[in-house]
């Protein structure tokens, strides 16, 4: 990412979300720099991540808006593929009517046969599970799965954007909730993170997972040093 492209992406993000201009300057610049350090675009068609304004009642210097860069699952996939450790990734939802089974233990296995025929393309088919399978370069596979209910329960427990009223500030700041408006990408990202944490990681991927965990816990996360391939990650007070 060149400085010119990063500046243009950040400018576009501010046009789409004017509330970013009301965030503290330190958090806004820090979030843009975090995205640049990871090599992820914080907005735009690639869907690597997002610059999100949060209302912080415990902000140093008084309550107000702060910007947080949060990687999306496309960004985590991009870093996994860049890492050199990953051969392939399958990240899929399971819909009602699909043939789906899995088992753990000494001989773990997962089988998914999508439904075909009438009703297979219905836009309102219910998602029952999500799963992620990562084949490692050099051999080996890591995978896991979760039910839709487990994924949504994770969001309700950990995401500060689950209930917008909890993140609302004074004036007209009414944050959206991607968990309410478009939950499937969030549940897919949840299972992807579970499996990535079991895999070998590059420094950038490890830092990105910490960044996203910090956002999930409602912490201000700033990467302020990049030295010889290792990120120094500072997790602020919740």
């Amino acid at each position: 990412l060149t400085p010119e492209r990063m500046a243009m992406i950040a400018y576009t993000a501010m046009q789409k979300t004017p509330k970013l201009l009301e965030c503290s300057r330190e958090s806004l610049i820090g979030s843009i720099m975090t995205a640049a350090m990871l090599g992820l675009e914080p907005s735009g068609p690639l869907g690597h991540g997002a610059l999100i304004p949060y209302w912080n009642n415990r902000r140093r210097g008084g309550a107000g808006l702060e910007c947080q860069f949060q990687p999306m699952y496309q960004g985590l996939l991009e870093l996994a593929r860049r890492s050199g450790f990953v051969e392939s990734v399958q990240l899929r939802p399971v819909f009602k009517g699909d043939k789906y089974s899995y088992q753990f233990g000494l001989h773990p296995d997962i089988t998914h046969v999508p439904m075909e025929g009438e009703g297979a393309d219905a836009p309102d088919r219910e998602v029952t599970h999500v799963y992620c399978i990562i084949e490692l370069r050099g051999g080996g596979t890591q995978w896991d799965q979760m039910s839709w209910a487990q994924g949504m329960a994770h969001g309700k427990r950990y995401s500060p954007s689950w209930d917008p009223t909890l993140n609302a500030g004074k004036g007209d700041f009414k944050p959206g909730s991607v968990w309410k408006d478009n939950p499937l990408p969030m549940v897919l990202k949840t299972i992807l993170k579970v499996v990535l944490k079991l895999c070998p990681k590059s420094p950038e991927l490890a830092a990105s997972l910490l960044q996203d965990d910090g956002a999930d816990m409602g912490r201000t996360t700033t990467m302020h040093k990049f030295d010889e391939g290792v990120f120094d990650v500072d997790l602020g007070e919740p």
Side-chain angles (χ1 to χ4, degrees), residues 1-200:
L1 288 173
T2 65
E4 293 79 13
R5 179 163 177 75
M6 182 58 73
M8 181 56 67
I9 291 169
Y11 177 69
T12 302
M14 294 173 203
Q15 284 186 314
K16 292 180 179 179
T17 311
K19 283 293 177 182
L20 289 172
L21 293 171
E22 299 180 26
C23 295
S24 68
R25 184 173 63 176
E26 294 79 9
S27 69
L28 181 59
I29 294 174
S31 296
I32 294 170
M33 291 301 297
T34 292
M37 285 172 147
L38 293 171
L40 299 178
E41 295 191 359
S43 182
L46 295 180
H48 285 169
L51 297 173
I52 303 173
Y54 285 107
W55 185 264
N56 187 351
N57 286 315
R58 301 181 182 180
R59 190 181 71 171
R60 189 176 301 170
L65 286 172
E66 287 193 340
C67 178
Q68 178 81 50
F69 173 69
Q70 189 157 10
M72 298 292 110
Y73 79 86
Q74 295 96 328
L76 295 176
L77 283 173
E78 177 68 18
L79 292 177
R81 291 175 177 131
R82 287 184 204 165
S83 70
F85 296 112
V86 172
E87 186 67 34
S88 67
V89 180
Q90 292 188 60
L91 182 63
R92 299 181 185 278
V94 178
F95 294 92
K96 189 175 182 179
D98 293 355
K99 294 180 181 178
Y100 178 69
S101 64
Y102 65 93
Q103 66 179 31
F104 298 113
L106 290 176
H107 304 286
D109 191 27
I110 186 168
T111 302
H112 177 207
V113 181
M115 175 183 172
E116 295 184 354
E118 185 178 354
D121 297 327
D124 58 346
R125 285 180 66 199
E126 178 185 349
V127 178
T128 62
H129 296 77
V130 294
Y131 65 91
C132 177
I133 303 171
I134 296 181
E135 293 185 68
L136 300 174
R137 191 162 293 172
T141 302
Q142 294 287 354
W143 68 271
D144 208 336
Q145 68 90 51
M146 65 174 51
S147 69
W148 180 257
Q150 288 173 319
M152 295 299 283
H154 175 93
K156 185 176 182 179
R157 180 177 181 182
Y158 291 108
S159 176
S161 67
W162 175 270
D163 183 356
T165 61
L166 299 178
N167 190 31
K170 60 183 179 180
D172 61 350
F173 179 64
K174 296 180 178 65
S177 173
V178 67
W179 279 97
K180 300 290 187 183
D181 301 333
N182 194 17
L184 180 56
M186 303 303 291
V187 177
L188 287 172
K189 185 176 78 167
T190 299
I191 190 61
L192 175 62
K193 287 173 59 180
V194 169
V195 180
L196 283 175
K197 289 178 180 180
L198 302 174
C199 297

Side-chain angles (χ1 to χ4, degrees), residues 54 68-71 158-160 189 193 197 206-223 233-238:
Y54 285 107
Q68 178 81 50
F69 173 69
Q70 189 157 10
Y158 291 108
S159 176
K189 185 176 78 167
K193 287 173 59 180
K197 289 178 180 180
S208 186
L209 291 169
L210 283 173
Q211 175 75 13
D212 194 65
D213 283 345
D216 281 348
M217 292 185 291
R219 295 173 181 262
T220 301
T221 312
T222 305
M223 297 174 186
V233 181
D234 178 26
L235 294 179
E237 292 296 322

